């Protein structure tokens, strides 16, 4: 399997487990997190950024993870930037 576990929210309770992995074969960061509220998803979909239209494209979604997992996200970023993962 090409998924490398990076970390799980240290404050996860039973039934909650925001998690970060690296897909080493594809060079991608994979997040498991909380689904957004309808309001947050609508706000994200309504926000226009340069070079990108409004809306959330088919096959994409909004996922929330706690800020306390920032170090895990950094570790995952470092892992996919290493030459052995590309």
């Amino acid at each position: 399997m090409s998924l490398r576990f990076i970390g799980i929210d240290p404050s996860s309770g039973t039934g909650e487990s925001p998690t970060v992995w690296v897909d080493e074969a594809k060079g991608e960061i994979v997040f498991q997190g909380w689904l957004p509220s309808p309001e947050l998803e609508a706000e994200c979909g309504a926000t226009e950024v340069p070079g990108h239209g409004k809306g959330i494209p088919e096959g994409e979604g909004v996922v929330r993870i706690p800020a306390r997992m920032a170090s895990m996200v950094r570790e995952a970023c470092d892992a996919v930037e290493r030459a052995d993962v590309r």
Side-chain angles (χ1 to χ4, degrees):
M1 171 150 287
S2 64
L3 277 183
R4 180 182 356 154
F5 171 78
I6 299 296
I8 190 167
D9 177 12
S11 297
S12 287
T14 303
E16 292 187 357
S17 54
T19 307
V20 179
W21 292 275
V22 168
D23 184 326
E24 294 178 324
K26 294 181 180 178
E28 298 174 345
I29 300 169
V30 179
F31 295 103
Q32 174 183 324
W34 302 304
L35 296 175
S37 67
E39 296 81 15
L40 176 59
E41 189 168 41
E43 183 177 350
C44 290
T47 302
E48 190 170 342
V49 291
H52 190 279
K54 290 182 182 178
I56 300 170
E58 182 73 28
E60 294 184 12
V62 176
V63 178
R64 296 170 35 243
I65 64 169
R68 63 183 164 264
M69 294 178 69
S71 64
M72 293 172 207
V73 174
R74 280 189 211 95
E75 182 179 342
C77 290
D78 290 344
V80 297
E81 287 181 340
R82 284 195 289 270
D84 62 322
V85 176
R86 291 182 178 226

